[in-house]
């Protein structure tokens, strides 16, 4: 590693054909203080880029994004940042998803952080390219930098004319970036950031060319499916593989910690082989039931501290387990050879997979490649490395590339679950019925896939976002999880915030108070939330009379550096409640791509309608009952409400959007059902028995 | 055996009871139709059989006979089919995994219902799950595709 690679900005002319720029994470911190000197020699730390920008001689720009697109559109929004600062037409940008590489720093796609964390570093990468190209042109013309402008992939000067970037690459790469100050394009001059931009992958998706993990096919590769225990917690004792091996094209049967794998030359044979396996399973509890688990959680809810004087009010809610049910079932392909591992997987955790491969095979991390195709949904599930473990183990045994495919019933039954929980909320009310004290006690399970998520304080910190001016505390108790649990969009906010907002609505319904007015009063010190609340209420037309049998509900959330308020209308006049309309007002700070933001909001609303009006995972006789979208009642188009997204103008730093709309949308929908029927929901879903 | 896929005759070297989805994907490398459930419960694999929507995941390849299979690749290779244009224009895909199936259901609907109502769209697409919740844009895109189709002649 040469000295120049220690620079925060690294560039090289690759044979004069391209200008390569990279920035290291520290640049982000510098830029926040406004003191960034991009070329300043790094004082320490090795070369650790988090994004590469590559300008080709023909003017095309390739951006390598160290995040995984699982439907949230980061490949588009992050490319927009670079194009803006580099002053190139967006159409000239091609996006590549980075392979796992420790030099990128963290590559985890989680917590609605991608745009938040990369907003400044990626703009700096683009801006650095721009100022160097401008300097190169200015030197050639013998004019000051300040007289030149970069526009549409060219440097222009009033008297000297114009030079396309492609003709400046070698000159720019020869410059010392330390000598060229980097300035970011001022917000009022943005041409790309903040404008609706379609996804860069659309053309591939609509023609069927887009490639997902499931589409990976390696020469001489095998497909594996795994027979998994019928009872939760059971394991294989005896395996009779004869009938499975007799299926044409089945190649092998192997035991794994997670079950028994059938490897075949093609998927249909692997699935058929799995049907023919005779496995004796041991363990598991044939009496286990999620209804009992929820009873246990309800009994474990901590007692409230002594309440101050006033009118007491309390309510209890139960929240069920949820499966991620990514549209593309979980899968991974691995090829383990004597001295290298190659993995193809749409993972939210590339560095975790790389580390895991090294640990499982004893092969050095530097010899592990992890390539990241598109992911058909993630919702937290693809941050886990269970399927890559299966693929790596099986390829090591088979000495061939192996793709492990989870079937839909595997995916529904054996994936990690969003933990169930039970909540009891207490308030003391004043004479107007307004809360003057509150306590929220709940019991839930840890996230078994992330052991640090077992501490009650951490769970409260993650889930409780209560911003209303009501003093009080939150107490959590954590019971051992009876099955695998994991991150599910919004994580614990999906239970805790929903319970808190349902409780506020319950207070309003009980006291005949207006749901919006009650929140407005309590949010006086929260201008961002208040602005969202007013925007949502006004766009909805709050206060107008609704049709008979309809109800409206409201909820707010401040999280991920963003604020949101939701007003939802539900029609309860028919046999089943029907979501009619959902208005979501969001303040996510600077919006990079309004089209992408709107899509994320719509997605969170769809999750909310699904989980409020029917979808849940239940366990009976020791096994998950649901097995596909047939019985995991996810939203379909015929029950999809109108969704209106109101952008509340904001100059705040970019906030997160991916997980923002789920909790308040769920709470608003449940509140709408409560308002329409006058019956306090027992939790989610509001129809049928919970658990 | 031979099957007709997107206008050409292809040779499949798999047993007749192989689900058509795997014959297409594993046998022929036609990867547009997606596996989402394998039991006809999600619509991700939806393709057309002589112009009518069908579920390749539950249709044995031996039952296809001489009928023409159209997958998303068969709409057009360059994205010029009205449904593809509308989908891209209205930025429908999130993860995109369900969208081939959604588009094939929409294409089939428009063949016999050139100006569909919302109720027609509900009926034709209700068995296509979109886990990402792109339904508002799907609905708008079907209407838009209908309009493009009327403007540009039949497809
Ligand atoms: S894969 Fe065919 S309907 Fe789900
Ligand atoms: S776009 Fe992801 S499932 Fe529809």
């Amino acid at each position: 590693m040469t000295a120049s690679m220690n620079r925060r900005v690294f560039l090289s002319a690759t044979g004069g054909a391209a200008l390569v720029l990279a920035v290291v994470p520290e640049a982000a911190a510098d830029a926040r203080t406004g003191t960034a000197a991009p070329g300043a020699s790094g004082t320490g730390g090795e070369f650790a880029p988090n994004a590469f920008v590559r300008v080709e001689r023909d003017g095309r720009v390739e951006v390598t994004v160290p995040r995984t697109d699982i439907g949230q559109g980061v490949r588009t929004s992050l490319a927009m940042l670079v194009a803006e600062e580099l002053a190139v037409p967006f159409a000239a940008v091609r996006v590549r998803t980075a392979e796992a590489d420790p030099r990128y720093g963290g590559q985890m796609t989680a917590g609605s952080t991608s745009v938040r964390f990369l907003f400044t570093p990626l703009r700096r990468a683009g801006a650095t390219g721009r100022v160097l190209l401008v300097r190169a042109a200015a030197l050639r013309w013998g004019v000051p930098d300040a007289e030149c402008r970069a526009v549409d992939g060219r440097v222009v000067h009033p008297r000297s004319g114009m030079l396309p970037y492609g003709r400046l690459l070698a000159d720019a790469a020869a410059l010392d970036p330390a000598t060229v100050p980097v300035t970011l394009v001022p917000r009022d001059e943005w041409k790309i950031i903040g404008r609706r931009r379609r996804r860069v992958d659309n053309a591939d998706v609509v023609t069927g060319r887009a490639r997902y993990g499931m589409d990976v096919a390696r020469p001489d590769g095998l497909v594996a499916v795994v027979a998994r225990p019928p009872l939760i917690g059971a394991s294989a004792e005896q395996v009779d593989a004869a009938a499975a091996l007799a299926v044409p094209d089945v190649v092998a049967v192997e035991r794994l910690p997670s079950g028994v794998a059938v490897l075949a030359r093609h998927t249909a044979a692997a699935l058929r082989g799995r049907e023919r396996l005779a496995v004796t399973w041991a363990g598991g509890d044939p009496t286990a039931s999620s209804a009992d688990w929820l009873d246990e959680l309800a009994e474990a809810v901590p007692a409230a501290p002594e309440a101050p004087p006033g009118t007491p009010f309390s309510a209890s809610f139960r929240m069920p387990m949820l499966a991620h049910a990514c549209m593309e079932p979980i899968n991974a392909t691995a090829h383990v050879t004597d001295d290298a591992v190659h993995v193809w997987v749409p993972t939210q955790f590339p560095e975790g997979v790389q580390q895991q491969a090294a640990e499982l095979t004893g092969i050095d991390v530097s010899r592990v490649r992890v390539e990241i195709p598109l992911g058909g949904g993630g919702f937290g599930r693809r941050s886990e490395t269970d399927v890559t473990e299966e693929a790596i183990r099986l390829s090591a045994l088979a000495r061939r590339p192996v793709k492990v495919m989870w079937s839909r019933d595997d995916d529904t039954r054996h994936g990690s679950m969003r933990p169930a929980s039970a909540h009891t909320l207490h308030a003391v009310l004043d004479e107007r019925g307004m809360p003057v004290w509150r306590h929220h006690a709940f019991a839930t399970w840890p996230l078994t896939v992330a052991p640090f998520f077992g501490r009650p304080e951490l769970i409260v910190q993650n889930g409780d976002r209560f911003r209303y001016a009501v003093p009080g505390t939150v107490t959590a108790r954590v019971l051992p999880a009876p099955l695998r649990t994991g991150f599910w969009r919004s994580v614990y906010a999906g239970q805790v915030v929903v319970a808190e907002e349902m409780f506020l609505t319950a207070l309003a319904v009980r006291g005949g108070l207006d749901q919006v007015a009650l929140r407005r009063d309590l949010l006086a010190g929260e201008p961002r939330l208040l602005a969202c609340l007013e925007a949502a209420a006004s766009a909805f037309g709050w206060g107008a009379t609704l049709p008979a049998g309809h109800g409206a509900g409201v909820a707010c959330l401040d999280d991920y550096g963003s604020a949101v308020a939701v007003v939802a209308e539900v029609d309860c006049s028919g046999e089943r409640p029907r979501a009619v309309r959902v208005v979501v007002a969001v303040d996510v700070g600077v919006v990079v791509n309004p089209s992408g933001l709107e899509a994320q909001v719509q997605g969170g609303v769809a999750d909310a309608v699904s989980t409020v009006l029917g979808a849940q995972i239940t366990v009976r006789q020791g096994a998950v009952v649901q097995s596909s979208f047939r019985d995991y009642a996810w939203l379909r188009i015929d029950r999809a409400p109108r969704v209106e997204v109101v952008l509340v103008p904001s100059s705040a730093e970019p906030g997160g959007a991916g997980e923002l709309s789920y909790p308040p949308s769920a709470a608003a929908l449940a509140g709408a059902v409560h308002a329409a029927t006058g019956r306090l929901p027992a939790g989610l879903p509001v129809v049928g028995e919970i658990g | 055996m031979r099957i007709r896929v997107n206008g050409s005759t292809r040779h499949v070297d798999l047993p007749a009871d192989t689900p058509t989805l795997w014959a297409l994907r594993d046998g022929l490398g036609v990867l547009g139709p997606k596996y989402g459930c394998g039991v006809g419960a999600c619509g991700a694999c939806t393709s057309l059989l002589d112009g009518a929507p069908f579920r390749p995941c539950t249709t044995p390849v031996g039952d296809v006979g001489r009928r023409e299979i159209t997958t998303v690749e068969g709409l057009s290779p360059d994205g010029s089919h009205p449904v593809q244009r509308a989908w891209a224009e209205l930025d429908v895909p999130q993860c995109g995994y369900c969208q081939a199936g959604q588009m094939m259901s929409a294409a089939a609907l428009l063949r016999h219902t050139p100006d569909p109502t919302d109720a027609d769209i509900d009926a034709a697409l209700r068995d296509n799950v979109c886990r990402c919740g792109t339904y508002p844009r799907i609905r708008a895109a079907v209407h838009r595709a209908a309009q493009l189709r009327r403007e540009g002649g039949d497809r």
Side-chain angles (χ1 to χ4, degrees):
Chain A
M1 197 164 288
T2 66
S4 70
M5 293 176 86
N6 267 332
R7 296 189 185 288
R8 292 218 186 100
V9 176
F10 164 74
L11 63 161
S12 70
T14 50
L19 176 66
V20 181
L21 297 162
V23 284
V24 303
E26 290 91 340
D30 278 357
R32 287 202 174 208
T33 64
T35 58
S41 306
T43 46
E46 52 178 318
F47 176 50
N50 62 13
F52 281 101
V53 179
R54 186 185 166 93
V55 183
E56 309 273 354
R57 204 197 291 263
D58 62 5
R60 276 182 318 179
V61 176
E62 186 181 75
V63 179
T64 302
V65 171
R67 289 294 183 277
T68 301
D69 213 317
I70 43 178
Q72 82 286 38
V74 280
R75 281 165 53 84
T76 306
S77 50
L78 296 178
M80 290 170 70
L81 300 175
V82 176
E84 177 74 68
E85 292 291 343
L86 195 59
V88 291
F90 190 69
V93 174
R94 263 184 319 138
V95 188
R96 221 173 60 95
T97 303
E99 294 186 18
D101 190 331
R103 293 179 309 159
Y104 288 112
Q107 280 172 267
M108 185 100 173
T109 301
S112 304
T113 56
S114 298
V115 169
R116 275 192 282 169
F117 289 5
L118 294 173
F119 184 66
T120 302
L122 277 179
R123 281 187 307 144
R124 292 192 59 76
T128 305
R130 169 174 43 79
V131 299
L132 291 168
L133 290 156
V134 165
R135 168 67 55 89
L139 286 174
R140 204 179 286 181
W141 289 324
V143 301
D145 294 10
E147 288 181 7
C148 303
R149 272 188 328 123
V151 52
D152 282 346
R154 297 177 295 215
V155 183
V156 293
H157 181 263
R159 293 183 308 281
S160 314
M162 165 288 266
L163 279 168
Y165 285 176
R167 289 175 46 200
L168 294 165
L169 299 183
D171 288 10
L175 292 170
D176 179 356
T179 64
V180 188
V182 174
T183 50
L184 297 180
V185 176
R187 192 175 172 178
D188 55 4
E189 289 173 24
W190 285 346
K191 296 199 201 73
I192 294 174
I193 299 174
R195 307 257 166 106
R196 290 181 81 88
R197 195 48 81 171
R198 299 181 191 112
R199 263 163 219 249
V200 294
D201 295 309
N202 279 356
D204 287 342
V205 170
V206 303
T207 52
R209 279 196 308 262
R211 290 293 170 258
Y212 298 82
M214 203 67 101
D215 301 325
V216 172
R218 303 304 305 169
D220 199 34
L222 299 174
V223 178
V225 293
V226 178
R228 299 171 195 280
L231 292 186
I232 295 161
S235 54
E237 208 154 63
Q238 271 172 20
V239 181
D240 179 352
L245 289 167
V247 172
D249 291 324
V250 167
V251 170
V253 170
E254 301 283 2
R255 294 179 75 138
L256 286 172
S258 53
V260 183
V262 178
L263 292 82
R265 289 197 187 85
H266 54 88
T267 317
L271 288 166
R272 180 136 311 142
R274 183 171 74 165
E275 282 166 21
R276 307 264 161 95
L277 268 184
V279 183
T280 321
W281 304 92
D285 172 8
T287 68
S289 142
S290 51
D292 295 345
W293 294 346
L294 272 161
D295 287 343
E296 288 160 20
L297 286 167
E299 279 160 31
V301 172
E306 201 182 323
T311 310
F313 177 74
S314 65
S316 295
F317 302 109
R318 293 179 179 202
M319 305 293 171
M321 291 180 286
L322 298 172
H324 298 82
C326 301
M327 201 72 215
E328 177 194 16
I330 296 305
N331 65 85
T333 303
H335 189 193
V336 179
T337 55
D338 285 342
D339 60 351
V341 186
H342 199 151
V343 183
W344 297 260
V345 59
T347 176
Q348 292 175 245
F349 190 22
E351 62 267 48
V353 172
Q354 198 175 34
Q355 204 62 48
Q356 169 191 50
E359 277 161 23
L360 286 171
T361 60
I363 291 167
D364 189 76
V365 175
S366 63
R367 303 282 302 152
V368 179
R369 281 184 71 184
V370 181
E371 280 192 70
I372 311 203
L374 290 174
F379 316 106
R381 178 66 176 90
R382 293 194 205 273
S383 60
E384 296 167 36
T385 53
D386 51 341
V387 68
T388 41
E389 174 178 340
E390 292 174 345
I392 293 162
R393 284 186 190 278
L394 290 173
S395 176
L397 290 167
R399 312 308 291 175
R400 294 163 73 166
V402 175
K403 170 162 74 184
V404 172
M405 180 187 102
W406 284 46
S407 60
R408 174 56 64 192
D409 60 315
D410 290 341
D411 196 283
T412 312
R413 292 199 157 115
H414 299 280
S416 61
M417 300 294 168
R418 197 284 301 270
S421 57
H423 306 250
T424 297
L425 298 98
H426 297 273
V428 170
L429 312 179
D430 66 12
E431 57 292 341
R432 292 179 305 146
M434 290 291 284
V436 294
W437 179 86
R438 67 139 192 163
H439 185 259
H440 180 174
F442 66 93
T444 187
W445 303 325
L447 303 185
T448 63
V449 302
F452 58 90
F453 254 115
R455 300 197 347 252
E457 320 82 74
L458 201 61
I459 291 172
V460 170
Q461 198 189 335
N462 174 264
D464 174 55
R465 311 293 304 173
F466 199 84
R467 293 287 184 272
Y468 300 94
V470 185
T473 51
V474 182
T475 317
R477 179 168 295 155
V478 180
L479 298 188
L483 78 181
R484 210 155 73 90
T485 50
F487 295 95
W488 196 96
R489 195 178 205 163
S490 316
V491 197
Y492 286 103
Q495 296 128 284
V496 177
V497 170
V498 174
E500 287 168 355
E501 291 287 340
M502 286 173 74
F503 185 62
L504 280 183
T505 296
L507 282 176
V509 172
R510 170 210 166 268
L513 303 172
D514 180 271
Q515 289 182 56
V516 169
L518 172 125
R519 287 176 174 81
R520 184 186 288 134
D521 276 9
L522 298 173
L523 288 175
E526 298 285 342
R528 278 183 97 182
L529 276 174
L530 198 55
C532 291
L533 178 65
E534 300 296 0
S538 117
F540 180 81
W542 183 260
T545 311
L546 299 173
H550 287 222
V554 182
C556 302
L557 175 63
D558 165 330
D559 206 349
Y560 318 103
S562 301
V564 57
V566 180
V567 182
E569 179 181 342
V570 175
D571 175 2
C572 292
S573 62
E575 205 176 303
R576 286 162 54 202
R578 180 187 192 93
V580 177
R581 189 179 164 215
V582 182
V583 177
V584 185
V586 286
D587 170 355
V588 297
V590 169
V591 178
V592 176
N593 182 2
S595 180
L597 170 62
E598 184 188 277
Q600 284 301 292
V601 169
Q602 290 173 343
V605 170
D607 287 4
V609 178
S610 303
T611 56
V612 171
L613 300 182
Q616 62 171 323
I617 291 294
T618 55
V619 167
R620 291 289 180 276
Q621 289 162 359
V624 170
V625 172
Q626 293 72 20
S627 68
S628 76
F629 289 111
R630 196 164 276 148
D631 40 18
Y632 189 45
W634 213 256
L635 180 65
R636 311 296 180 95
I637 196 168
D638 60 337
R639 312 286 295 185
R642 259 157 58 212
V643 182
E644 295 157 48
V645 182
V646 181
L647 299 188
V648 178
S650 173
S651 55
E653 294 276 297
E659 300 168 276
L660 186 64
S661 67
Y662 172 70
S665 300
L669 286 158
V673 172
H674 187 184
T677 60
R679 279 193 304 277
L680 177 70
L684 301 188
V686 299
V687 290
E689 193 197 337
I690 302 165
Chain B
M1 99 194 52
R2 289 172 194 290
I3 56 172
R4 304 257 321 148
V5 183
N6 296 329
S8 42
T9 300
R10 307 285 301 268
H11 180 76
V12 182
D13 194 14
L14 289 168
D17 61 355
T18 305
T20 303
L21 178 63
W22 300 118
L24 289 168
R25 290 181 55 84
D26 290 354
L28 301 176
V30 177
L31 298 172
K34 297 302 186 214
Y35 168 81
C37 69
V39 295
C42 78
C45 65
T46 308
S47 299
L48 308 184
L49 198 54
D50 277 351
F54 85 117
R55 299 283 190 258
C57 69
T58 52
T59 308
V61 66
D63 290 0
V64 167
R66 307 189 56 77
R67 287 176 291 176
E68 172 78 24
I69 297 171
T70 309
T71 69
V72 68
E73 289 94 338
L75 289 181
S76 86
D78 59 357
S80 61
H81 185 282
V83 168
Q84 293 171 313
R85 283 168 60 198
W87 247 250
E89 180 185 314
L90 297 188
D91 204 19
V92 175
Q94 285 191 31
C95 79
Y97 196 79
C98 73
Q99 300 296 347
Q102 308 279 1
M103 288 192 293
M104 297 317 284
S105 291
L109 167 69
L110 295 178
R111 282 174 66 130
H112 57 78
T113 313
D115 190 10
T117 62
D118 280 347
D120 294 332
I121 295 171
D122 285 349
L125 274 74
R126 82 157 311 281
D127 293 330
N128 286 90
V129 176
C130 174
R131 171 65 180 84
C132 297
T134 63
Y135 300 120
R137 290 186 181 181
I138 289 175
R139 182 182 302 287
V142 178
H143 288 302
R144 175 70 181 139
Q147 188 187 10
L148 288 170
R149 197 169 171 276
R150 286 194 300 273
E151 285 166 6
D154 275 8
R155 265 315 263 269

